[in-house]
Amino acid sequence: MQERHVTENAPLAPLTTFRLGGPASRLVTATTDDEVVAAVREADEAGTPLLIIGGGSNLVIGDKGFDGTALRIATRGATLDGTALELAAGENWSDAVARTVGAGLAGVECLAGIPGSAGATPIQNVGAYGQDVSETLTEVVAYDRGTGETVTLTNEECGFSYRHSRFKQHPERFVVLRVRFALEDAGGLSAPLRYDQTARALGVGTGDRVPLAVARETVLALRASKGMVLDPDDHDTWSAGSFFTNPVLTEAEHAELVRRVHERLGPDVAPPAFPDGDGRVKTSAAWLIDRAGFTKGHGSGPARISTKHTLALTNRGEATTEDLLALAREVRDGVRDAFGVTLVNEPVTVGVSL
């Protein structure tokens, strides 16, 4: 590995969208798959703790930093063969979506503007505005740290569920190298719209198709209105996007939530409810946060809820990770006390926890 790719005592905050966290003992920037694999093997053989960094949009790093090797995956490469798309893990995801739209291919256009790298998308099963990457992803090429081999996993082998995957379940095992998708040529039209807010903004019904570019531009506008498109001059975007996942409840848990909402807010108020299979019900974390009293802009310190969206916790410029975690705990505990639902953080925590 070339020495120019290695930095000692390297700041990590600039590599995250929160702009938070202390330094890593060592930072390796890998620009090829071979460099990624070599860096992982080197760390594993030496017994050195390893932190994988892509776009940094889903990381909360402790103020003390990371005592080990941080590996920044900066690989590049995007190929389209008909409707088949392959992306190197380090490719910018939002740019990749723009390219698919420009090529007239549908399937990921509603995932426009999501910050981060392509390699991170299968880990979280990234989704927004009615689309999830698991719907179009066909294969993930990854380095298996358990066997020391590069493997190709099918969609089914990835174990996708809501904001979850085999990669997230076993974070120490796989390092994503490449992701492959099967898109759709719908004559320049989007996939059928499944998200009410998007359809309303476009003046069409759910299930309708619209021109691809129009769908992408509409999603970008919706995301920007919520502070979910990165802008260095807008502290509402100094975040990890949605900080908490939407709770998925059993029937009994949902019934208890409804009871507590009626008790707190009145019999005519009902929490959002979306069937999620197997008798489970998904509800809205943003709704719970707001109704528990944590409104947009909540907070008096350097970490506050976004002024545009209650689900985003933000660094107003001078925050520390501990400031952020204190706010997250306040919100989590307040929602639990009000409604009996414990919110779960979506970003990955490094050296800290809620």
Side-chain angles (χ1 to χ4, degrees), residues 33-318:
D33 289 355
D34 287 344
E35 285 186 350
V36 172
V37 171
V40 175
R41 283 179 173 160
E42 180 183 290
D44 287 349
E45 289 170 2
T48 303
L50 183 67
L51 170 64
I52 306 297
I53 300 178
S57 59
N58 204 45
L59 279 179
V60 177
I61 298 172
D63 292 317
K64 292 182 180 178
F66 183 70
D67 185 12
T69 295
L71 172 59
R72 180 169 174 256
I73 298 182
T75 53
R76 294 291 182 267
T79 57
L80 264 174
D81 182 6
T83 56
L85 171 68
E86 179 179 289
L87 298 171
E91 277 289 320
N92 179 281
W93 173 253
S94 189
D95 290 348
V97 172
R99 285 197 293 270
T100 67
V101 170
L105 298 176
V108 294
E109 61 280 358
C110 290
L111 304 179
I114 293 177
S117 63
T121 60
I123 297 172
Q124 286 287 116
N125 185 18
V126 164
Y129 296 97
Q131 288 181 344
D132 295 307
V133 294
S134 58
E135 296 166 329
T136 49
L137 187 146
T138 56
E139 292 179 333
V140 173
V141 179
Y143 176 67
D144 185 340
R145 297 169 69 183
T147 65
E149 301 292 332
T150 296
V151 297
T152 300
L153 303 174
T154 65
N155 181 295
E156 185 176 355
E157 289 172 328
C158 292
F160 290 122
S161 59
Y162 171 66
R163 299 298 170 268
H164 197 69
S165 70
R166 183 179 182 183
F167 310 106
K168 190 173 181 179
Q169 184 175 359
H170 303 288
E172 300 299 320
R173 180 169 178 184
F174 296 102
V175 179
V176 176
L177 301 175
R178 303 195 160 263
V179 285
R180 295 171 179 155
F181 299 86
L183 304 176
E184 178 190 7
D185 185 348
L189 297 178
S190 69
L193 298 172
R194 296 208 301 263
Y195 196 71
D196 288 342
Q197 187 180 21
T198 314
R200 287 198 306 270
L202 287 161
V204 300
T206 55
D208 289 348
R209 296 177 185 260
V210 297
L212 276 165
V214 174
R216 174 177 174 269
E217 289 160 7
T218 300
V219 166
L220 287 173
L222 288 170
R223 290 186 65 85
S225 72
K226 300 174 183 179
M228 298 292 187
V229 177
L230 294 181
D231 178 351
D233 296 323
D234 182 359
H235 285 289
D236 278 335
T237 74
W238 289 34
S239 76
S242 300
F243 193 87
F244 297 104
T245 57
N246 289 323
V248 178
L249 309 175
T250 64
E251 288 184 358
E253 289 168 340
H254 179 249
E256 174 62 11
L257 170 61
V258 171
R259 185 192 70 77
R260 294 181 70 150
V261 167
H262 288 171
E263 183 180 81
R264 182 183 178 92
L265 303 175
D268 296 331
V269 181
F274 309 94
D276 199 61
D278 297 326
R280 297 180 305 172
V281 179
K282 184 188 296 182
T283 192
S284 166
W287 190 93
L288 294 174
I289 291 168
D290 183 70
R291 298 312 190 279
F294 303 103
T295 53
K296 296 173 186 176
H298 173 85
S300 57
R304 302 181 194 177
I305 291 177
S306 165
T307 66
K308 300 182 181 71
H309 199 305
T310 52
L311 204 47
L313 307 188
T314 68
N315 171 11
R316 307 317 292 184
E318 300 295 332

